[in-house]
Amino acid sequence: ETGVTQSPTHLIKTRGQQVTLRCSSQSGHNTVSWYQQALGQGPQFIFQYYREEENGRGNFPPRFSGLQFPNYSSELNVNALELDDSALYLCACRREGPRETQYFGPGTRLLVL
Amino acid sequence: SQQGEEDPQALSIQEGENATMNCSYKTSINNLQWYRQNSGRGLVHLILIRSNEREKHSGRLRVTLDTSKKSSSLLITASRAADTASYFCATTPSGNTGKLIFGQGTTLQVKP
């Protein structure tokens, strides 16, 4: 049990739609990162939030955006969904500092038709 | 792009045997972590080894790190059927604020 929860667990959308995924963690995990994991691949870093601001981003287009709230919960928003956005989306939470262990949630599986 | 390369991509062993997985990476790192993933669900953190450490143990797990060769290995001793999963190494590059770069993983099957 990592103390990190994600919702929903599964989601089906059609191309062009928008989606919001949510993540929350136990108190003290003030840094949250989001990852996309395509089938059969390792997770790829989307972006990271600390103190409600984005402070690192991977190679993902601007239609991937996020929010972090004062209680450290977070959202990942994806606009104009494409078929290739079908993947498992994972959030990872940790305390401040690059050496701290990151704790992953169970993920949201998104299918875009 | 993925930094880590894991070897082998797939491994099948009998219960009780040892399993060794290797990981190579490209840049200097702060630390390296190993994660387990069951059936495409969330990642479970197994062990973290810092760049100034060479070996670390946790239960049946042994991790080594060779920063000169930019490589790491994960040894699972006395494997069990419940160890069947995908295993990923993930590095935090030096100077980075915590981004993890994952390899493509090793799929381990432990036969009862």
Side-chain angles (χ1 to χ4, degrees):
Chain A
E1 187 62 47
T2 64
V4 179
T5 58
Q6 290 186 243
S7 64
T9 56
H10 295 83
L11 202 52
I12 299 175
K13 291 284 189 179
T14 55
R15 201 168 41 180
Q17 285 189 311
Q18 178 266 342
V19 68
T20 297
L21 310 180
R22 295 178 174 83
C23 171
S24 63
S25 74
Q26 63 192 50
S27 176
H29 288 173
N30 57 11
T31 303
V32 63
S33 302
W34 285 89
Y35 292 80
Q36 179 195 66
Q37 185 179 22
L39 201 61
Q41 302 292 316
Q44 295 227 15
F45 176 76
I46 302 174
F47 45 55
Q48 176 175 275
Y49 277 80
Y50 170 65
R51 292 186 177 177
E52 303 174 48
E53 290 193 0
E54 183 181 301
N55 74 341
R57 190 176 183 93
N59 188 26
F60 282 81
R63 60 190 184 82
F64 286 77
S65 64
L67 285 172
Q68 185 184 30
F69 300 99
N71 65 354
Y72 304 141
S73 66
S74 176
E75 288 182 355
L76 164 65
N77 299 289
V78 187
N79 294 322
L81 283 167
E82 301 176 359
L83 298 180
D84 285 349
D85 296 333
S86 296
L88 180 68
Y89 288 85
L90 298 159
C91 74
C93 302
R94 62 179 174 85
R95 291 187 178 84
E96 180 182 354
R99 293 172 180 259
E100 290 292 334
T101 297
Q102 300 204 27
Y103 296 96
F104 282 80
T108 293
R109 187 162 296 282
L110 172 65
L111 177 61
V112 182
L113 302 174
Chain B
S1 62
Q2 304 281 2
Q3 157 152 262
E5 297 284 339
E6 277 151 294
D7 168 51
Q9 290 190 340
L11 182 61
S12 182
I13 60 174
Q14 293 295 133
E15 210 166 24
E17 294 180 337
N18 295 341
T20 300
M21 289 161 261
N22 302 296
C23 166
S24 61
Y25 56 92
K26 297 175 183 175
T27 65
S28 60
I29 60 172
N30 284 329
N31 61 56
L32 184 146
Q33 302 180 55
W34 284 90
Y35 287 86
R36 184 184 75 219
Q37 186 176 43
N38 290 84
S39 302
R41 296 303 293 170
L43 295 163
V44 175
H45 183 261
L46 296 176
I47 196 164
L48 179 152
I49 186 165
R50 304 193 192 285
S51 58
N52 60 353
E53 297 176 315
R54 293 295 167 259
E55 187 171 315
K56 205 162 183 180
H57 296 255
S58 176
R60 294 185 296 113
L61 306 179
R62 172 179 171 253
V63 169
T64 62
L65 179 64
D66 186 337
T67 53
S68 66
K69 295 181 179 177
K70 292 187 170 58
S71 67
S72 173
S73 68
L74 170 67
L75 168 67
I76 303 174
T77 60
S79 63
R80 306 165 181 168
D83 295 328
T84 295
S86 293
Y87 291 81
F88 294 90
C89 71
T91 55
T92 302
S94 294
N96 193 276
T97 55
K99 163 185 175 179
L100 289 176
I101 302 178
F102 285 85
Q104 293 200 334
T106 293
T107 299
L108 172 66
Q109 182 186 30
V110 181
K111 299 175 184 176

